[in-house]
Amino acid sequence: MTSRQDGQGQRGSRALDSHEAGTALSPAQLEDRAIIYRSETARREVDAFRHLRTQLLSVTEGNFITLVAPVSRGSGGSFVARNLAAAVAFDETKSALLVDCDLRHPSQAQTMKLAANDGGLIDYLEDHESNADSVLYDTGVPRLRLIPAGKSRETGAEYFSSFRMRLLLDSLRSRYPNCHIFLDAPPVRGAPDARILADLADVVVLVAGYGRDTAAAIAQAGANFDPAKFAGVVFNEGV
């Protein structure tokens, strides 16, 4: 898988496969949030993500979980994860859930201009009395929801390897059979978090900064993942 890419919703507890959104964002608002959208005019970045979506759907079955992991900080992993999820949500028969798993440098809620007043992933994992619905947020993009990272943490290893993390993903897959889950991982280099998250995913997409990450760094990062799960590398430029 290869591609070269240039590059205030309200919380919703409704079903993830709903065809409605609590607040529909305008094209200008979507651009401000760096989210692709359908339009009558052909746009290179939209076509690129549609192509990536088609490739993912061709190598997986069911409501799969995709780990999107950048080689290094600044490679654009969060941008790619957000827009792969948005591309899946283009299909009215499917929905997407984006989970911000970069606990040290979470960005999705801020980029998508969400006030995550009810917390996020870490709040749910630390509070065993909490309900997953409480951290599902409507993004303003039809059929796309977000679980923000919530509290910042230096490392996510103990959280991502926990029974409660696996239970969360398994329960979401069971409850929402038309929903595809995207895990926005921290950089592969420097921490074991992405490698641990890969154990929870069905497929792994590596994001390399075009002209930024060397071939050796990309190969080294890719070697962290099971070849059977490894879908390929997205080369991201400018985001």
Side-chain angles (χ1 to χ4, degrees), residues 4 14 40 49 57-58 61-62 67 99 109 117 127 154 169 173 205 209 211 224 232 239:
R4 179 173 173 179
R14 66 188 69 186
E40 295 181 357
F49 280 106
L57 292 173
S58 71
E61 296 181 357
L67 176 70
V99 185
N117 297 325
D127 180 3
E154 284 300 306
L169 297 178
R173 293 179 82 171
V205 173
N224 284 273
V239 179

Side-chain angles (χ1 to χ4, degrees), residues 89-104:
F90 282 175
D91 186 339
E92 294 185 0
T93 67
K94 297 179 173 63
S95 63
L97 172 63
L98 177 61
V99 185
D100 192 342
C101 299
D102 190 347
L103 305 186
R104 184 177 294 185

Side-chain angles (χ1 to χ4, degrees), residues 208-222:
Y210 186 82
R212 175 189 182 92
D213 294 312
T214 66
I218 295 169
Q220 185 178 29

Side-chain angles (χ1 to χ4, degrees), residues 3-234:
S3 174
R4 179 173 173 179
Q5 173 63 39
D6 295 320
Q8 182 154 28
Q10 299 172 349
R11 183 176 68 83
S13 59
R14 66 188 69 186
L16 288 176
D17 56 359
S18 170
H19 288 190
E20 300 177 359
T23 304
L25 298 174
S26 68
Q29 289 173 313
L30 290 166
E31 290 183 2
D32 186 48
R33 291 158 174 77
I35 302 174
I36 60 170
Y37 58 91
R38 289 180 292 188
S39 66
E40 295 181 357
T41 305
R43 299 166 66 218
R44 186 168 61 135
E45 63 272 22
V46 176
D47 290 341
F49 280 106
R50 277 177 163 156
H51 178 64
L52 292 173
R53 174 200 62 189
T54 300
Q55 288 184 289
L56 276 180
L57 292 173
S58 71
V59 299
T60 54
E61 296 181 357
N63 56 337
F64 55 87
I65 297 176
T66 301
L67 176 70
V68 181
V71 173
S72 60
R73 179 102 16 227
S75 298
S78 295
F79 173 78
V80 172
R82 184 167 60 252
N83 285 294
L84 267 178
V88 167
F90 282 175
D91 186 339
E92 294 185 0
T93 67
K94 297 179 173 63
S95 63
L97 172 63
L98 177 61
V99 185
D100 192 342
C101 299
D102 190 347
L103 305 186
R104 184 177 294 185
H105 299 285
S107 64
Q108 296 292 359
Q110 181 178 3
T111 300
M112 300 176 84
K113 303 187 186 304
L114 290 171
N117 297 325
D118 293 322
L121 178 62
I122 292 303
D123 304 272
Y124 170 80
L125 294 176
E126 291 183 342
D127 180 3
H128 287 207
E129 300 300 319
S130 63
N131 187 297
D133 286 342
S134 67
V135 293
L136 291 174
Y137 292 82
D138 188 10
T139 65
V141 178
R143 298 172 296 280
L144 173 60
R145 302 290 187 267
L146 170 70
I147 296 182
K151 299 173 182 176
S152 178
R153 291 289 184 268
E154 284 300 306
T155 179
E158 64 182 277
Y159 295 102
F160 300 146
S161 60
S162 69
F163 172 76
R164 190 162 169 80
M165 178 70 179
R166 186 174 293 276
L167 181 64
L168 170 65
L169 297 178
D170 287 346
S171 64
L172 289 170
R173 293 179 82 171
S174 176
R175 290 171 59 193
Y176 307 114
N178 295 324
C179 180
H180 298 274
I181 301 173
F182 292 84
L183 307 179
D184 177 15
V188 178
R189 302 180 68 182
D193 295 11
R195 186 172 66 252
I196 294 171
L197 284 165
D199 290 338
L200 304 173
D202 301 300
V203 60
V204 175
V205 173
L206 188 65
V207 179
Y210 186 82
R212 175 189 182 92
D213 294 312
T214 66
I218 295 169
Q220 185 178 29
N224 284 273
F225 306 113
D226 181 351
K229 293 184 176 183
F230 191 61
V233 182
V234 174

